[in-house]
């Protein structure tokens, strides 16, 4: 009997794998927002502009890290961390392809991102998310994150979480 497993490893932000995962992530969350609030998917031009504008360059050492999860060897998800200050890392780009959800990848990616944040010197990790991303909020609560006061003023930030890493 063989078991399919996740492997998590650092990935350059500008690799084709990272670019494909970023496109899948952004398309999903953007379409989800537009469908909920405006009844249509993201306009193609806007989608391309926003994907190109957020390169992920901040997710590189020495102040950040992008991680890719592979399921049975194929890219299946991502998570990134970046330092906001010497003690605080921000968790970002947590994503798992829809067909792989429920297979434990998200929790493994977040845990690996927490380890990466510790390696960068962080003693706490923060994140923001939207109200409609109920699955994400449930995951963070399950992993020991607590909802806190806002730490940023992002246009789509509606819920803020924190976890001590010490």
């Amino acid at each position: 009997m063989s078991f399919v497993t996740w492997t998590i490893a650092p990935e350059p932000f500008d690799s084709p794998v990272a670019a494909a995962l970023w496109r899948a992530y952004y398309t999903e969350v953007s379409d989800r927002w537009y469908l909920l609030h405006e009844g249509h998917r993201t306009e193609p031009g806007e989608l391309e502009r926003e994907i190109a504008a957020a390169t992920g360059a901040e997710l590189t050492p020495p102040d950040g890290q992008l991680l890719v999860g592979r399921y049975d060897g194929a890219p299946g998800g991502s998570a990134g961390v970046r330092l906001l200050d010497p003690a605080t890392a921000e968790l970002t780009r947590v994503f798992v392809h829809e067909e792989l959800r429920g297979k434990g990848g998200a929790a493994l990616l977040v845990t690996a991102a927490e380890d990466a944040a510790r390696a960068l010197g962080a003693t706490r990790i923060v994140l923001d998310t939207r109200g409609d991303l109920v699955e994400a909020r449930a995951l963070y609560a399950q992993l020991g994150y607590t909802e806190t006061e806002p730490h940023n003023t992002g246009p789509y930030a509606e819920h803020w979480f924190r976890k001590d890493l010490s």
Side-chain angles (χ1 to χ4, degrees):
M1 177 187 277
S2 69
F3 293 94
V4 177
T5 60
W6 285 93
T7 57
I8 313 289
E11 182 80 22
F13 79 93
D14 57 354
S15 76
V17 166
L21 286 165
W22 172 232
R23 174 173 291 283
Y25 168 88
Y26 193 85
T27 300
E28 181 177 328
V29 297
S30 183
D31 281 353
R32 194 165 169 172
W33 190 90
Y34 274 106
L35 286 167
L36 179 65
H37 295 284
E38 298 188 17
H40 63 82
R41 295 190 181 281
T42 313
E43 297 293 330
E46 178 186 356
L47 185 67
E48 294 306 317
R49 277 191 310 277
E50 294 301 319
I51 288 171
T55 65
E58 70 280 7
L59 303 177
T60 58
D63 295 323
Q65 184 71 70
L66 179 66
L67 301 165
V68 166
R70 287 176 169 77
Y71 187 76
D72 197 22
S78 65
V81 292
R82 67 184 180 119
L83 289 177
L84 299 179
D85 62 50
T88 309
E90 180 181 40
L91 179 65
T92 187
R93 295 195 186 196
V94 177
F95 172 74
V96 173
H97 282 296
E98 186 174 5
E99 65 273 12
L100 297 176
R101 293 178 189 159
K103 298 181 183 298
L108 291 172
L109 281 159
V110 171
T111 300
E114 292 169 1
D115 291 342
R118 282 185 196 92
L120 296 170
T123 58
R124 69 184 154 271
I125 191 165
V126 297
L127 65 94
D128 66 73
T129 191
R130 297 192 326 232
D132 63 305
L133 300 177
V134 294
E135 307 91 341
R137 292 189 354 252
L139 172 70
Y140 300 134
Q142 175 188 355
L143 295 176
Y145 287 76
T146 56
E147 198 155 354
T148 65
E149 294 299 315
H151 63 268
N152 65 18
T153 57
Y156 301 105
E158 298 172 328
H159 296 269
W160 296 263
F161 290 85
R162 173 187 168 144
K163 183 177 183 180
D164 289 329
L165 297 176
S166 51

